[in-house]
Amino acid sequence: QVHLVESGGGLVQAGGSLRLSCAASGRTFSGYAVGWFRQAPGAVREFVAAISWNIDWTNYADSVKGRFTISRDNAKNTVYLQMNSLKPEDTAVYYCGAVLGPPRATTNYAYWGQGTQVTVSS
């Protein structure tokens, strides 16, 4: 069992930055890719970014490419999402998950965190 905890969310003005963290406890991330998703009220959970276990690939949604950066520190069992140039449409609950298969489909994820709220004011 992998227990994931997101942190770093908050309220920020448009154009600002936040860094989210996804920390694993219990069984480690070993072998798992990690993805970030977000879900706005009334919307489906959408893919944001993902990173492989050994950091040989990253994958981004077009809507965040060039603004968000995903990274991971396996020694700390932590994955980060650096979010720059934030826009009001980035407002959502952000979730991290651990996956062994293709990272863009929520159904492939074995573990999820509880989410952290990001609110971007205009």
Side-chain angles (χ1 to χ4, degrees), residues 49-69:
I51 187 167
S52 63
W53 159 248
N54 58 3
I55 319 177
D56 62 342
W57 57 258
T58 57
N59 197 326
Y60 294 93
D62 287 345
S63 59
V64 306
K65 209 170 286 185
R67 299 189 298 123
F68 291 10
T69 302

mmCIF file with all atom_site columns, all heavy atoms in Angstrom, residues 49-69:
data_model
loop_
_atom_site.group_PDB
_atom_site.id
_atom_site.type_symbol
_atom_site.label_atom_id
_atom_site.label_alt_id
_atom_site.label_comp_id
_atom_site.label_asym_id
_atom_site.label_entity_id
_atom_site.label_seq_id
_atom_site.pdbx_PDB_ins_code
_atom_site.Cartn_x
_atom_site.Cartn_y
_atom_site.Cartn_z
_atom_site.occupancy
_atom_site.B_iso_or_equiv
_atom_site.pdbx_formal_charge
_atom_site.auth_seq_id
_atom_site.auth_comp_id
_atom_site.auth_asym_id
_atom_site.auth_atom_id
_atom_site.pdbx_PDB_model_num
ATOM 1   N N   . ALA A 1 49 ? 0.207  16.409 -15.641 1.00 0.00 ? 49 ALA A N   1
ATOM 2   C CA  . ALA A 1 49 ? 1.599  16.067 -15.923 1.00 0.00 ? 49 ALA A CA  1
ATOM 3   C C   . ALA A 1 49 ? 1.922  14.722 -15.293 1.00 0.00 ? 49 ALA A C   1
ATOM 4   O O   . ALA A 1 49 ? 1.258  14.294 -14.355 1.00 0.00 ? 49 ALA A O   1
ATOM 5   C CB  . ALA A 1 49 ? 2.547  17.137 -15.394 1.00 0.00 ? 49 ALA A CB  1
ATOM 6   N N   . ALA A 1 50 ? 2.975  14.083 -15.811 1.00 0.00 ? 50 ALA A N   1
ATOM 7   C CA  . ALA A 1 50 ? 3.431  12.816 -15.243 1.00 0.00 ? 50 ALA A CA  1
ATOM 8   C C   . ALA A 1 50 ? 4.921  12.686 -15.450 1.00 0.00 ? 50 ALA A C   1
ATOM 9   O O   . ALA A 1 50 ? 5.503  13.307 -16.346 1.00 0.00 ? 50 ALA A O   1
ATOM 10  C CB  . ALA A 1 50 ? 2.691  11.638 -15.877 1.00 0.00 ? 50 ALA A CB  1
ATOM 11  N N   . ILE A 1 51 ? 5.518  11.840 -14.616 1.00 0.00 ? 51 ILE A N   1
ATOM 12  C CA  . ILE A 1 51 ? 6.961  11.603 -14.680 1.00 0.00 ? 51 ILE A CA  1
ATOM 13  C C   . ILE A 1 51 ? 7.219  10.134 -14.386 1.00 0.00 ? 51 ILE A C   1
ATOM 14  O O   . ILE A 1 51 ? 6.570  9.532  -13.528 1.00 0.00 ? 51 ILE A O   1
ATOM 15  C CB  . ILE A 1 51 ? 7.701  12.522 -13.687 1.00 0.00 ? 51 ILE A CB  1
ATOM 16  C CG1 . ILE A 1 51 ? 9.216  12.421 -13.856 1.00 0.00 ? 51 ILE A CG1 1
ATOM 17  C CG2 . ILE A 1 51 ? 7.289  12.228 -12.234 1.00 0.00 ? 51 ILE A CG2 1
ATOM 18  C CD1 . ILE A 1 51 ? 9.987  13.522 -13.122 1.00 0.00 ? 51 ILE A CD1 1
ATOM 19  N N   . SER A 1 52 ? 8.173  9.551  -15.103 1.00 0.00 ? 52 SER A N   1
ATOM 20  C CA  . SER A 1 52 ? 8.478  8.140  -14.911 1.00 0.00 ? 52 SER A CA  1
ATOM 21  C C   . SER A 1 52 ? 9.276  7.919  -13.635 1.00 0.00 ? 52 SER A C   1
ATOM 22  O O   . SER A 1 52 ? 9.822  8.866  -13.052 1.00 0.00 ? 52 SER A O   1
ATOM 23  C CB  . SER A 1 52 ? 9.269  7.608  -16.104 1.00 0.00 ? 52 SER A CB  1
ATOM 24  O OG  . SER A 1 52 ? 10.517 8.270  -16.201 1.00 0.00 ? 52 SER A OG  1
ATOM 25  N N   . TRP A 1 53 ? 9.379  6.674  -13.241 1.00 0.00 ? 53 TRP A N   1
ATOM 26  C CA  . TRP A 1 53 ? 10.124 6.328  -12.032 1.00 0.00 ? 53 TRP A CA  1
ATOM 27  C C   . TRP A 1 53 ? 11.579 6.773  -12.125 1.00 0.00 ? 53 TRP A C   1
ATOM 28  O O   . TRP A 1 53 ? 12.107 7.388  -11.205 1.00 0.00 ? 53 TRP A O   1
ATOM 29  C CB  . TRP A 1 53 ? 10.049 4.819  -11.792 1.00 0.00 ? 53 TRP A CB  1
ATOM 30  C CG  . TRP A 1 53 ? 11.128 4.293  -10.919 1.00 0.00 ? 53 TRP A CG  1
ATOM 31  C CD1 . TRP A 1 53 ? 12.162 3.473  -11.262 1.00 0.00 ? 53 TRP A CD1 1
ATOM 32  C CD2 . TRP A 1 53 ? 11.299 4.580  -9.515  1.00 0.00 ? 53 TRP A CD2 1
ATOM 33  N NE1 . TRP A 1 53 ? 12.960 3.214  -10.175 1.00 0.00 ? 53 TRP A NE1 1
ATOM 34  C CE2 . TRP A 1 53 ? 12.459 3.884  -9.093  1.00 0.00 ? 53 TRP A CE2 1
ATOM 35  C CE3 . TRP A 1 53 ? 10.597 5.339  -8.585  1.00 0.00 ? 53 TRP A CE3 1
ATOM 36  C CZ2 . TRP A 1 53 ? 12.913 3.931  -7.779  1.00 0.00 ? 53 TRP A CZ2 1
ATOM 37  C CZ3 . TRP A 1 53 ? 11.047 5.387  -7.275  1.00 0.00 ? 53 TRP A CZ3 1
ATOM 38  C CH2 . TRP A 1 53 ? 12.194 4.685  -6.889  1.00 0.00 ? 53 TRP A CH2 1
ATOM 39  N N   . ASN A 1 54 ? 12.229 6.470  -13.252 1.00 0.00 ? 54 ASN A N   1
ATOM 40  C CA  . ASN A 1 54 ? 13.648 6.794  -13.369 1.00 0.00 ? 54 ASN A CA  1
ATOM 41  C C   . ASN A 1 54 ? 13.895 8.112  -14.096 1.00 0.00 ? 54 ASN A C   1
ATOM 42  O O   . ASN A 1 54 ? 14.998 8.379  -14.546 1.00 0.00 ? 54 ASN A O   1
ATOM 43  C CB  . ASN A 1 54 ? 14.408 5.660  -14.059 1.00 0.00 ? 54 ASN A CB  1
ATOM 44  C CG  . ASN A 1 54 ? 13.847 5.356  -15.431 1.00 0.00 ? 54 ASN A CG  1
ATOM 45  O OD1 . ASN A 1 54 ? 12.931 6.018  -15.890 1.00 0.00 ? 54 ASN A OD1 1
ATOM 46  N ND2 . ASN A 1 54 ? 14.391 4.352  -16.099 1.00 0.00 ? 54 ASN A ND2 1
ATOM 47  N N   . ILE A 1 55 ? 12.840 8.914  -14.238 1.00 0.00 ? 55 ILE A N   1
ATOM 48  C CA  . ILE A 1 55 ? 12.927 10.281 -14.770 1.00 0.00 ? 55 ILE A CA  1
ATOM 49  C C   . ILE A 1 55 ? 13.460 10.288 -16.202 1.00 0.00 ? 55 ILE A C   1
ATOM 50  O O   . ILE A 1 55 ? 14.123 11.252 -16.617 1.00 0.00 ? 55 ILE A O   1
ATOM 51  C CB  . ILE A 1 55 ? 13.788 11.190 -13.847 1.00 0.00 ? 55 ILE A CB  1
ATOM 52  C CG1 . ILE A 1 55 ? 13.483 10.916 -12.374 1.00 0.00 ? 55 ILE A CG1 1
ATOM 53  C CG2 . ILE A 1 55 ? 13.486 12.655 -14.140 1.00 0.00 ? 55 ILE A CG2 1
ATOM 54  C CD1 . ILE A 1 55 ? 14.334 11.713 -11.401 1.00 0.00 ? 55 ILE A CD1 1
ATOM 55  N N   . ASP A 1 56 ? 13.141 9.231  -16.962 1.00 0.00 ? 56 ASP A N   1
ATOM 56  C CA  . ASP A 1 56 ? 13.573 9.248  -18.358 1.00 0.00 ? 56 ASP A CA  1
ATOM 57  C C   . ASP A 1 56 ? 12.515 9.849  -19.268 1.00 0.00 ? 56 ASP A C   1
ATOM 58  O O   . ASP A 1 56 ? 12.780 10.071 -20.456 1.00 0.00 ? 56 ASP A O   1
ATOM 59  C CB  . ASP A 1 56 ? 13.970 7.843  -18.833 1.00 0.00 ? 56 ASP A CB  1
ATOM 60  C CG  . ASP A 1 56 ? 12.813 6.858  -18.787 1.00 0.00 ? 56 ASP A CG  1
ATOM 61  O OD1 . ASP A 1 56 ? 11.820 7.148  -18.091 1.00 0.00 ? 56 ASP A OD1 1
ATOM 62  O OD2 . ASP A 1 56 ? 12.914 5.803  -19.431 1.00 0.00 ? 56 ASP A OD2 1
ATOM 63  N N   . TRP A 1 57 ? 11.328 10.116 -18.760 1.00 0.00 ? 57 TRP A N   1
ATOM 64  C CA  . TRP A 1 57 ? 10.336 10.860 -19.534 1.00 0.00 ? 57 TRP A CA  1
ATOM 65  C C   . TRP A 1 57 ? 9.456  11.675 -18.606 1.00 0.00 ? 57 TRP A C   1
ATOM 66  O O   . TRP A 1 57 ? 9.257  11.343 -17.438 1.00 0.00 ? 57 TRP A O   1
ATOM 67  C CB  . TRP A 1 57 ? 9.476  9.942  -20.414 1.00 0.00 ? 57 TRP A CB  1
ATOM 68  C CG  . TRP A 1 57 ? 8.721  8.851  -19.737 1.00 0.00 ? 57 TRP A CG  1
ATOM 69  C CD1 . TRP A 1 57 ? 9.054  7.531  -19.692 1.00 0.00 ? 57 TRP A CD1 1
ATOM 70  C CD2 . TRP A 1 57 ? 7.489  8.962  -19.005 1.00 0.00 ? 57 TRP A CD2 1
ATOM 71  N NE1 . TRP A 1 57 ? 8.133  6.828  -18.986 1.00 0.00 ? 57 TRP A NE1 1
ATOM 72  C CE2 . TRP A 1 57 ? 7.150  7.678  -18.553 1.00 0.00 ? 57 TRP A CE2 1
ATOM 73  C CE3 . TRP A 1 57 ? 6.640  10.022 -18.697 1.00 0.00 ? 57 TRP A CE3 1
ATOM 74  C CZ2 . TRP A 1 57 ? 5.997  7.415  -17.812 1.00 0.00 ? 57 TRP A CZ2 1
ATOM 75  C CZ3 . TRP A 1 57 ? 5.494  9.774  -17.947 1.00 0.00 ? 57 TRP A CZ3 1
ATOM 76  C CH2 . TRP A 1 57 ? 5.187  8.482  -17.518 1.00 0.00 ? 57 TRP A CH2 1
ATOM 77  N N   . THR A 1 58 ? 8.932  12.747 -19.182 1.00 0.00 ? 58 THR A N   1
ATOM 78  C CA  . THR A 1 58 ? 7.874  13.538 -18.576 1.00 0.00 ? 58 THR A CA  1
ATOM 79  C C   . THR A 1 58 ? 6.822  13.777 -19.640 1.00 0.00 ? 58 THR A C   1
ATOM 80  O O   . THR A 1 58 ? 7.084  13.680 -20.839 1.00 0.00 ? 58 THR A O   1
ATOM 81  C CB  . THR A 1 58 ? 8.374  14.879 -18.025 1.00 0.00 ? 58 THR A CB  1
ATOM 82  O OG1 . THR A 1 58 ? 9.011  15.609 -19.084 1.00 0.00 ? 58 THR A OG1 1
ATOM 83  C CG2 . THR A 1 58 ? 9.355  14.689 -16.887 1.00 0.00 ? 58 THR A CG2 1
ATOM 84  N N   . ASN A 1 59 ? 5.627  14.084 -19.194 1.00 0.00 ? 59 ASN A N   1
ATOM 85  C CA  . ASN A 1 59 ? 4.489  14.233 -20.094 1.00 0.00 ? 59 ASN A CA  1
ATOM 86  C C   . ASN A 1 59 ? 3.609  15.344 -19.536 1.00 0.00 ? 59 ASN A C   1
ATOM 87  O O   . ASN A 1 59 ? 3.343  15.367 -18.331 1.00 0.00 ? 59 ASN A O   1
ATOM 88  C CB  . ASN A 1 59 ? 3.721  12.903 -20.147 1.00 0.00 ? 59 ASN A CB  1
ATOM 89  C CG  . ASN A 1 59 ? 2.791  12.795 -21.318 1.00 0.00 ? 59 ASN A CG  1
ATOM 90  O OD1 . ASN A 1 59 ? 2.216  13.774 -21.752 1.00 0.00 ? 59 ASN A OD1 1
ATOM 91  N ND2 . ASN A 1 59 ? 2.629  11.583 -21.831 1.00 0.00 ? 59 ASN A ND2 1
ATOM 92  N N   . TYR A 1 60 ? 3.174  16.246 -20.407 1.00 0.00 ? 60 TYR A N   1
ATOM 93  C CA  . TYR A 1 60 ? 2.384  17.391 -19.947 1.00 0.00 ? 60 TYR A CA  1
ATOM 94  C C   . TYR A 1 60 ? 1.130  17.569 -20.789 1.00 0.00 ? 60 TYR A C   1
ATOM 95  O O   . TYR A 1 60 ? 1.138  17.326 -22.006 1.00 0.00 ? 60 TYR A O   1
ATOM 96  C CB  . TYR A 1 60 ? 3.197  18.683 -20.047 1.00 0.00 ? 60 TYR A CB  1
ATOM 97  C CG  . TYR A 1 60 ? 4.386  18.746 -19.128 1.00 0.00 ? 60 TYR A CG  1
ATOM 98  C CD1 . TYR A 1 60 ? 5.644  18.334 -19.557 1.00 0.00 ? 60 TYR A CD1 1
ATOM 99  C CD2 . TYR A 1 60 ? 4.249  19.228 -17.826 1.00 0.00 ? 60 TYR A CD2 1
ATOM 100 C CE1 . TYR A 1 60 ? 6.740  18.386 -18.712 1.00 0.00 ? 60 TYR A CE1 1
ATOM 101 C CE2 . TYR A 1 60 ? 5.335  19.292 -16.973 1.00 0.00 ? 60 TYR A CE2 1
ATOM 102 C CZ  . TYR A 1 60 ? 6.579  18.869 -17.426 1.00 0.00 ? 60 TYR A CZ  1
ATOM 103 O OH  . TYR A 1 60 ? 7.666  18.928 -16.583 1.00 0.00 ? 60 TYR A OH  1
ATOM 104 N N   . ALA A 1 61 ? 0.083  18.033 -20.158 1.00 0.00 ? 61 ALA A N   1
ATOM 105 C CA  . ALA A 1 61 ? -1.083 18.479 -20.901 1.00 0.00 ? 61 ALA A CA  1
ATOM 106 C C   . ALA A 1 61 ? -0.716 19.750 -21.659 1.00 0.00 ? 61 ALA A C   1
ATOM 107 O O   . ALA A 1 61 ? 0.094  20.559 -21.187 1.00 0.00 ? 61 ALA A O   1
ATOM 108 C CB  . ALA A 1 61 ? -2.234 18.759 -19.944 1.00 0.00 ? 61 ALA A CB  1
ATOM 109 N N   . ASP A 1 62 ? -1.324 19.935 -22.820 1.00 0.00 ? 62 ASP A N   1
ATOM 110 C CA  . ASP A 1 62 ? -1.021 21.121 -23.624 1.00 0.00 ? 62 ASP A CA  1
ATOM 111 C C   . ASP A 1 62 ? -1.319 22.404 -22.862 1.00 0.00 ? 62 ASP A C   1
ATOM 112 O O   . ASP A 1 62 ? -0.635 23.417 -23.039 1.00 0.00 ? 62 ASP A O   1
ATOM 113 C CB  . ASP A 1 62 ? -1.833 21.090 -24.921 1.00 0.00 ? 62 ASP A CB  1
ATOM 114 C CG  . ASP A 1 62 ? -1.327 20.057 -25.909 1.00 0.00 ? 62 ASP A CG  1
ATOM 115 O OD1 . ASP A 1 62 ? -0.185 19.560 -25.733 1.00 0.00 ? 62 ASP A OD1 1
ATOM 116 O OD2 . ASP A 1 62 ? -2.074 19.734 -26.849 1.00 0.00 ? 62 ASP A OD2 1
ATOM 117 N N   . SER A 1 63 ? -2.330 22.358 -22.012 1.00 0.00 ? 63 SER A N   1
ATOM 118 C CA  . SER A 1 63 ? -2.746 23.574 -21.309 1.00 0.00 ? 63 SER A CA  1
ATOM 119 C C   . SER A 1 63 ? -1.721 24.064 -20.291 1.00 0.00 ? 63 SER A C   1
ATOM 120 O O   . SER A 1 63 ? -1.794 25.221 -19.866 1.00 0.00 ? 63 SER A O   1
ATOM 121 C CB  . SER A 1 63 ? -4.084 23.322 -20.608 1.00 0.00 ? 63 SER A CB  1
ATOM 122 O OG  . SER A 1 63 ? -3.963 22.251 -19.682 1.00 0.00 ? 63 SER A OG  1
ATOM 123 N N   . VAL A 1 64 ? -0.774 23.222 -19.898 1.00 0.00 ? 64 VAL A N   1
ATOM 124 C CA  . VAL A 1 64 ? 0.205  23.627 -18.882 1.00 0.00 ? 64 VAL A CA  1
ATOM 125 C C   . VAL A 1 64 ? 1.630  23.608 -19.414 1.00 0.00 ? 64 VAL A C   1
ATOM 126 O O   . VAL A 1 64 ? 2.553  24.027 -18.704 1.00 0.00 ? 64 VAL A O   1
ATOM 127 C CB  . VAL A 1 64 ? 0.109  22.745 -17.614 1.00 0.00 ? 64 VAL A CB  1
ATOM 128 C CG1 . VAL A 1 64 ? -1.324 22.725 -17.077 1.00 0.00 ? 64 VAL A CG1 1
ATOM 129 C CG2 . VAL A 1 64 ? 0.625  21.349 -17.858 1.00 0.00 ? 64 VAL A CG2 1
ATOM 130 N N   . LYS A 1 65 ? 1.820  23.126 -20.620 1.00 0.00 ? 65 LYS A N   1
ATOM 131 C CA  . LYS A 1 65 ? 3.155  23.005 -21.181 1.00 0.00 ? 65 LYS A CA  1
ATOM 132 C C   . LYS A 1 65 ? 3.826  24.381 -21.222 1.00 0.00 ? 65 LYS A C   1
ATOM 133 O O   . LYS A 1 65 ? 3.232  25.363 -21.657 1.00 0.00 ? 65 LYS A O   1
ATOM 134 C CB  . LYS A 1 65 ? 3.061  22.404 -22.583 1.00 0.00 ? 65 LYS A CB  1
ATOM 135 C CG  . LYS A 1 65 ? 4.258  21.611 -23.024 1.00 0.00 ? 65 LYS A CG  1
ATOM 136 C CD  . LYS A 1 65 ? 3.959  20.872 -24.321 1.00 0.00 ? 65 LYS A CD  1
ATOM 137 C CE  . LYS A 1 65 ? 3.057  19.690 -24.114 1.00 0.00 ? 65 LYS A CE  1
ATOM 138 N NZ  . LYS A 1 65 ? 2.862  18.894 -25.353 1.00 0.00 ? 65 LYS A NZ  1
ATOM 139 N N   . GLY A 1 66 ? 5.070  24.423 -20.754 1.00 0.00 ? 66 GLY A N   1
ATOM 140 C CA  . GLY A 1 66 ? 5.798  25.684 -20.722 1.00 0.00 ? 66 GLY A CA  1
ATOM 141 C C   . GLY A 1 66 ? 5.579  26.495 -19.458 1.00 0.00 ? 66 GLY A C   1
ATOM 142 O O   . GLY A 1 66 ? 6.314  27.455 -19.193 1.00 0.00 ? 66 GLY A O   1
ATOM 143 N N   . ARG A 1 67 ? 4.568  26.135 -18.665 1.00 0.00 ? 67 ARG A N   1
ATOM 144 C CA  . ARG A 1 67 ? 4.300  26.851 -17.402 1.00 0.00 ? 67 ARG A CA  1
ATOM 145 C C   . ARG A 1 67 ? 4.544  25.965 -16.186 1.00 0.00 ? 67 ARG A C   1
ATOM 146 O O   . ARG A 1 67 ? 4.963  26.459 -15.142 1.00 0.00 ? 67 ARG A O   1
ATOM 147 C CB  . ARG A 1 67 ? 2.847  27.334 -17.385 1.00 0.00 ? 67 ARG A CB  1
ATOM 148 C CG  . ARG A 1 67 ? 2.505  28.298 -18.497 1.00 0.00 ? 67 ARG A CG  1
ATOM 149 C CD  . ARG A 1 67 ? 1.105  28.904 -18.297 1.00 0.00 ? 67 ARG A CD  1
ATOM 150 N NE  . ARG A 1 67 ? 0.052  27.895 -18.315 1.00 0.00 ? 67 ARG A NE  1
ATOM 151 C CZ  . ARG A 1 67 ? -0.817 27.701 -17.310 1.00 0.00 ? 67 ARG A CZ  1
ATOM 152 N NH1 . ARG A 1 67 ? -0.758 28.440 -16.217 1.00 0.00 ? 67 ARG A NH1 1
ATOM 153 N NH2 . ARG A 1 67 ? -1.763 26.769 -17.415 1.00 0.00 ? 67 ARG A NH2 1
ATOM 154 N N   . PHE A 1 68 ? 4.245  24.685 -16.296 1.00 0.00 ? 68 PHE A N   1
ATOM 155 C CA  . PHE A 1 68 ? 4.390  23.746 -15.186 1.00 0.00 ? 68 PHE A CA  1
ATOM 156 C C   . PHE A 1 68 ? 5.587  22.839 -15.439 1.00 0.00 ? 68 PHE A C   1
ATOM 157 O O   . PHE A 1 68 ? 5.867  22.466 -16.585 1.00 0.00 ? 68 PHE A O   1
ATOM 158 C CB  . PHE A 1 68 ? 3.145  22.881 -15.037 1.00 0.00 ? 68 PHE A CB  1
ATOM 159 C CG  . PHE A 1 68 ? 1.904  23.591 -14.572 1.00 0.00 ? 68 PHE A CG  1
ATOM 160 C CD1 . PHE A 1 68 ? 1.830  24.981 -14.498 1.00 0.00 ? 68 PHE A CD1 1
ATOM 161 C CD2 . PHE A 1 68 ? 0.790  22.858 -14.199 1.00 0.00 ? 68 PHE A CD2 1
ATOM 162 C CE1 . PHE A 1 68 ? 0.680  25.621 -14.069 1.00 0.00 ? 68 PHE A CE1 1
ATOM 163 C CE2 . PHE A 1 68 ? -0.375 23.471 -13.766 1.00 0.00 ? 68 PHE A CE2 1
ATOM 164 C CZ  . PHE A 1 68 ? -0.420 24.864 -13.709 1.00 0.00 ? 68 PHE A CZ  1
ATOM 165 N N   . THR A 1 69 ? 6.246  22.447 -14.357 1.00 0.00 ? 69 THR A N   1
ATOM 166 C CA  . THR A 1 69 ? 7.357  21.506 -14.440 1.00 0.00 ? 69 THR A CA  1
ATOM 167 C C   . THR A 1 69 ? 7.197  20.446 -13.369 1.00 0.00 ? 69 THR A C   1
ATOM 168 O O   . THR A 1 69 ? 7.048  20.768 -12.184 1.00 0.00 ? 69 THR A O   1
ATOM 169 C CB  . THR A 1 69 ? 8.695  22.220 -14.251 1.00 0.00 ? 69 THR A CB  1
ATOM 170 O OG1 . THR A 1 69 ? 8.838  23.250 -15.236 1.00 0.00 ? 69 THR A OG1 1
ATOM 171 C CG2 . THR A 1 69 ? 9.850  21.242 -14.389 1.00 0.00 ? 69 THR A CG2 1
#
